Amino acid sequence: MTGTVALAKAAAVHVDLDDAEGDVSAAADALAAADHGDDDAQFVVDGAEDHELLWYATQEIPNLVGLAD
């Protein structure tokens, strides 16, 4: 995506746990090489898929970002 999506159009949000940050960042860096057939880069990208995304309803977003009262 290259633009903003109105929250009203979202049905849910998916969030990684903090321990996924390094793997997801490495996967983003390796994605172009993986797309061009680099097997080592594909292994790095596949490693990010080992982390399960957490699912939250849109009304839970304030709690996720620390805006809840």
Side-chain angles (χ1 to χ4, degrees):
M1 293 179 45
T2 59
T4 303
V5 175
L7 186 56
K9 297 212 178 258
V13 294
H14 295 93
V15 179
D16 277 312
L17 289 173
D18 289 341
D19 67 350
E21 183 178 357
D23 289 341
V24 172
S25 179
D29 292 341
L31 191 57
D35 284 345
H36 287 97
D38 183 320
D39 290 336
D40 292 331
Q42 186 63 53
F43 181 80
V44 172
V45 171
D46 291 344
E49 294 177 357
D50 291 339
H51 296 278
E52 189 159 337
L53 289 171
L54 305 175
W55 181 96
Y56 294 92
T58 55
Q59 61 268 32
E60 296 177 282
I61 293 172
N63 292 324
L64 290 173
V65 297
L67 297 177
D69 293 331

